[in-house]
Amino acid sequence: MLVQQLINGITLGSVYALIALGYTMVYGILGLINFAHGEIYMIGAYLAVIVFGLLTVSGITAYSLPLSVFIVFAAAGIFCGAYGITAERIAYRPLRHAHRLSPLISAIGMSIFLQNYVMLTQGATDKIFPYVIPPSGVTIMGASLTYLQMFILAASFILMFLLHLFIKNTRLGKAMRATSQDKRMAGLVGIDIDRIIAITFVIGSILAAAAGIMVAMYYGSVNFFIGYVAGIKAFTAAVLGGIGNIPGAMLGGLLLGLIEGLGAGYISSEYKDVFAFVMLILVLIFRPAGLLGEKISEKV
Amino acid sequence: MIKNNLFKYLFIPLWFGILILPFMGIKGAVFTAIAIGAGWGVFFFLARLNILRLIKFELPFRKVHVTKRNAWFANAALLFISLILPNFLNNYYIDVLTIAGMYAVLALGLNIVIGLAGLLDLGYISFYAVGAYTYALLSTKLSISFWMAIPIGGLLAALFGFILGVVTLRLRGDYLAIVTLGFIQIVHIILKNWDSLTGGPNGILGIARPRIGSFIFSQPIHFYYLILIILVITIAVVNRLNNSRTGRAWIAIREDEIAAEAMGVDTTRMKCLAFSLGAFWAGITGVFFAGKFAFVSPESFTFMESILILSIVVLGGMGSIPGVIIGALTIIILPEVLRGFANYRMLIFGALLIIMMVVRPQGLIGSQKRKVELHPHDEKIYLQEMESLYDVEKG
């Protein structure tokens, strides 16, 4: 029982971590909570269903399953990146120097818009995603670890590791770190801030797309409102680890998944979502900088 | 050069067409691309004609010197119109106006929190739920009357507001938004799952309607007048608050919390006060809601309702009372007018929030003070503000 809950929790947590990375990177650079990020994840899940359906119809799935899974990831990544960059261009860039409530409200607007856009074009009912990976698995200490769970864990850790390498070692990653430290100074040393921000949105959206696809595979169905709750939870994860801090978002996501899994297993599954939000409130009250975040005193 | 412009012109419809492609299919994508292209063309054309400047219009009455007497006459005329209006309408439209009145009270309450004190509270609807469930429970379990429930519901909501305020005191704007969002989710889940108290997803049925002696409020028109009374009281109180020491303290916190604290504003007290006063009105409206519909369920108190009220405040103009009322009328009546577009309502709200923030952050009728804050780089507005300051000094 305990091991099973731990496995389920970590699987869900790694998905939260992927979404949380997008929040944390955007927050680190712009100081903005990108409310629309959860919707990008939802769009990723829908794209998985749509693209996979097309591949099945055209017979590519029957020809090679790994190839079609790869195509799904690539297509959803590209489209979600495009959605992310468009949202940034329309709703956030014009407000870069505005009062701080303005971009927040326009982000909420973007989130509602995308949600209803998907609902109107795809219908309000659940979309079914076929189980592409057989539901069998291995048994560890009386708990089952399915192949799908292994796939999700492996894929998320690989993506996180790649992100880590990218941020740490490439020129762009260095520019991103510089921008998040001080936008104005970064601009003065020749970094194109607008471009860095756009790239941040693209990377965050690609990670969200991957999370969306894996959730579609995991639960077998998607709906237009999944982005909202997942968005808040991923944000909670980002805050838990210390917002703006990339390793923090990974840790926060895993931790949140574990708390939820254990809470649902041992206390009550109906109140599962409450644990996440109570956790968020407690963290914000007692340790606003998060677990790994540094405390920054406010400048006057 | 022309070729370059043409490319730019074609790029946008093409881009959106591709974005939409997986969701709407080829036909939908082509159609949307053409529509966006046409819209974009009209936009360019208007921009060239400088017509877009109209977006930044100023209402003429700003230039009219508003004396106390003029204002009094205007208010009396508006009140008179709202008193006789229902006689010309059928029950359906009276109901629509009643709902608009409810949302106006809610938005005025939220306006205290967001517009005056600048605290982005997205969980406002939970106080509305507190009020509604208070009356629902008091009425069905203890048979307490509507009139008793109004102050109880209001005060209980204010208490909840105070608690949320205390809990979130240390949080900055955007964190506050998320915590209040989490709060509304918690309230929603509790309402849905605490079956023994709240009736779970089925809600509570058979709530008594308000009555005075043997007269029972049952017709839409009765509720219309009731909400009108509540609205007038709300406007009077909020207006007094606006121009009071407390109101000025809130505005100071909104504009610069640290500076306000340095000037001796007790920010802790003022923030809690803003939360509880805002929540008070939501609680009262909640009691009214339960009394009018005789039924409450968790589905009436979702995040989307919060967004609806936020849209009203933003559309009307944060911090402005007439703005908020016009916003409530627009947002509630517009979908009735655009019946055929009912499904597109939330889509349009989403787009509206973005467009308002980008183009006209001060709202339809924004308060003048707020405008300077929102357009800090706009020199003309700054000068205008300085000028009016000069006028005041001169005499």
Side-chain angles (χ1 to χ4, degrees):
Chain A
M1 173 74 176
L2 176 68
V3 181
Q4 186 67 62
Q5 295 300 347
L6 288 179
I7 290 173
N8 294 348
I10 289 181
T11 312
L12 208 57
S14 59
V15 173
Y16 288 152
L18 281 183
I19 313 173
L21 283 169
Y23 276 108
T24 232
M25 286 195 299
V26 168
Y27 195 92
I29 287 184
L30 284 181
L32 162 80
I33 298 176
N34 180 11
F35 270 96
H37 193 62
E39 312 315 328
I40 300 282
Y41 148 85
M42 178 269 292
I43 286 176
Y46 263 90
L47 284 168
V49 173
I50 294 165
V51 175
F52 198 80
L54 283 178
L55 290 175
T56 310
V57 169
S58 61
I60 296 175
T61 315
Y63 171 67
S64 158
L65 188 64
L67 176 70
S68 59
V69 170
F70 176 77
I71 294 177
V72 166
F73 269 87
I78 291 170
F79 271 102
C80 282
Y83 270 98
I85 210 171
T86 313
E88 193 266 336
R89 191 75 187 77
I90 292 176
Y92 310 139
R93 192 179 291 185
L95 295 171
R96 196 143 313 151
H97 301 290
H99 185 264
R100 66 183 162 77
L101 282 189
S102 304
L104 205 56
I105 292 173
S106 96
I108 294 171
M110 182 52 84
S111 156
I112 295 169
F113 182 85
L114 289 176
Q115 221 178 81
N116 284 277
Y117 155 70
V118 172
M119 187 193 78
L120 289 171
T121 54
Q122 291 290 307
T125 49
D126 284 11
K127 291 263 167 195
I128 306 300
F129 191 86
Y131 285 100
V132 285
I133 298 179
S136 56
V138 293
T139 309
I140 305 170
M141 291 157 66
S144 75
L145 174 66
T146 63
Y147 292 126
L148 183 59
Q149 284 176 324
M150 286 184 210
F151 172 73
I152 291 176
L153 286 172
S156 354
F157 282 103
I158 289 170
L159 281 171
M160 285 189 241
F161 186 64
L162 286 179
L163 178 74
H164 179 77
L165 288 183
F166 174 78
I167 301 270
K168 204 98 207 155
N169 296 331
T170 62
R171 260 179 87 82
L172 269 176
K174 208 172 179 183
M176 279 170 72
R177 275 183 288 148
T179 312
S180 78
Q181 271 174 15
D182 191 330
K183 262 196 300 209
R184 206 162 143 203
M185 281 310 291
L188 286 176
V189 295
I191 294 170
D192 184 348
I193 304 294
D194 280 343
R195 204 171 129 239
I196 294 298
I197 291 172
I199 290 172
T200 309
F201 270 86
V202 170
I203 294 174
S205 304
I206 290 173
L207 294 174
I213 298 165
M214 294 194 293
V215 163
M217 287 177 173
Y218 193 51
Y219 288 126
S221 74
V222 293
N223 204 311
F224 69 95
F225 51 69
I226 57 170
Y228 165 59
V229 172
I232 309 182
K233 284 190 187 160
F235 182 77
T236 306
V239 172
L240 202 60
I243 194 148
N245 184 317
I246 289 175
M250 300 177 191
L251 178 73
L254 290 175
L255 219 55
L256 189 73
L258 279 178
I259 293 166
E260 240 187 74
L262 293 177
Y266 287 102
I267 305 174
S268 152
S269 64
E270 279 155 356
Y271 287 94
K272 181 179 87 168
D273 289 350
V274 172
F275 302 129
F277 300 127
V278 169
M279 191 72 203
L280 170 72
I281 293 175
L282 289 179
V283 168
L284 282 176
I285 292 167
F286 292 109
R287 208 179 149 79
L291 298 175
L292 296 186
E294 299 160 36
K295 198 172 163 68
I296 303 162
S297 54
E298 203 165 336
K299 285 176 213 146
V300 182
Chain B
M1 183 68 191
I2 291 168
K3 207 171 157 191
N4 192 17
N5 275 342
L6 191 69
F7 174 73
K8 263 191 192 161
Y9 177 77
L10 286 179
F11 177 72
I12 287 174
L14 196 69
W15 177 259
F16 282 99
I18 291 172
L19 279 186
I20 285 166
L21 185 65
F23 286 92
M24 291 181 73
I26 293 172
K27 216 165 114 188
V30 171
F31 181 75
T32 317
I34 291 172
I36 288 175
W40 192 233
V42 172
F43 179 82
F44 257 130
F45 183 67
L46 293 180
R48 191 150 285 183
L49 290 180
N50 264 334
I51 285 175
L52 288 177
R53 239 194 282 161
L54 288 178
I55 297 171
K56 299 205 170 14
F57 70 98
E58 274 311 319
L59 286 167
F61 65 64
R62 281 219 188 287
K63 284 162 192 122
V64 180
H65 191 53
V66 185
T67 62
K68 253 189 179 159
R69 223 173 104 181
N70 282 348
W72 197 88
F73 271 122
N75 289 341
L78 279 177
L79 188 62
F80 181 69
I81 292 172
S82 32
L83 280 175
I84 60 164
L85 191 63
N87 295 319
F88 306 108
L89 297 171
N90 61 22
N91 276 347
Y92 177 74
Y93 282 103
I94 293 174
D95 258 346
V96 171
L97 280 179
T98 310
I99 293 170
M102 279 166 54
Y103 278 96
V105 177
L106 284 172
L108 282 170
L110 185 63
N111 192 31
I112 294 177
V113 189
I114 293 188
L116 290 181
L119 305 162
L120 189 56
D121 174 8
L122 296 177
Y124 187 67
I125 205 79
S126 22
F127 308 128
Y128 182 45
V130 167
Y133 271 89
T134 303
Y135 178 50
L137 291 172
L138 287 179
S139 161
T140 51
K141 304 224 157 144
L142 302 171
S143 12
I144 284 175
S145 80
F146 180 79
W147 312 107
M148 279 298 291
I150 282 208
I152 299 175
L155 289 175
L156 207 61
L159 181 69
F160 270 81
F162 177 76
I163 294 170
L164 187 67
V166 170
V167 168
T168 57
L169 261 182
R170 288 169 55 186
L171 305 180
R172 272 184 42 228
D174 24 19
Y175 283 101
L176 183 70
I178 284 284
V179 169
T180 49
L181 202 67
F183 181 69
I184 182 176
Q185 208 65 18
I186 293 175
V187 169
H188 191 76
I189 293 170
I190 290 176
L191 289 182
K192 230 175 172 163
N193 290 312
W194 194 356
D195 290 354
S196 56
L197 186 71
T198 64
N202 300 327
I204 299 172
L205 285 158
I207 303 162
R209 293 194 185 272
R211 57 190 298 170
I212 304 173
S214 60
F215 174 75
I216 298 175
F217 284 68
S218 51
Q219 294 300 312
I221 196 157
H222 302 154
F223 288 101
Y224 174 83
Y225 284 119
L226 186 57
I227 195 70
L228 191 64
I229 294 169
I230 297 177
L231 181 62
V232 168
I233 295 172
T234 315
I235 293 173
V237 173
V238 172
N239 191 30
R240 297 286 294 177
L241 273 176
N242 242 340
N243 301 320
S244 69
R245 196 185 159 84
T246 316
R248 287 197 303 275
W250 281 332
I251 293 170
I253 292 177
R254 180 187 80 198
E255 300 198 348
D256 191 334
E257 196 176 327
I258 296 167
E261 199 160 3
M263 298 314 285
V265 173
D266 185 347
T267 50
T268 310
R269 225 185 98 207
M270 285 302 160
K271 278 183 178 176
C272 288
L273 196 63
F275 265 115
S276 39
L277 273 176
F280 179 74
W281 298 111
I284 285 180
T285 322
V287 174
F288 177 84
F289 173 88
K292 174 164 170 46
F293 294 100
F295 166 67
V296 292
S297 86
E299 289 323 301
S300 310
F301 310 104
T302 57
F303 174 57
M304 281 303 145
E305 291 293 303
S306 250
I307 290 300
L308 208 65
I309 304 171
L310 178 69
S311 323
I312 290 172
V313 176
V314 169
L315 177 75
M318 285 187 261
S320 143
I321 295 174
V324 167
I325 293 187
I326 289 179
L329 288 172
T330 319
I331 287 212
I332 302 303
I333 294 174
L334 205 64
E336 303 299 329
V337 179
L338 306 170
R339 274 262 149 215
F341 299 98
N343 289 337
Y344 296 90
R345 193 166 103 146
M346 289 316 282
L347 190 80
I348 294 171
F349 284 161
L352 202 67
L353 283 179
I354 303 172
I355 295 170
M356 278 317 259
M357 280 303 116
V358 173
V359 181
R360 204 178 153 83
Q362 75 270 28
L364 290 175
I365 308 178
S367 72
Q368 204 65 13
K369 272 184 207 154
R370 181 91 198 174
K371 199 170 158 186
V372 179
E373 188 194 342
L374 290 168
H375 288 291
H377 304 301
D378 197 335
E379 211 162 296
K380 214 167 105 198
I381 295 167
Y382 182 73
L383 285 177
Q384 202 179 321
E385 186 76 353
M386 287 291 117
E387 234 167 67
S388 56
L389 203 65
Y390 177 66
D391 285 347
V392 172
E393 280 167 0
K394 216 164 39 176

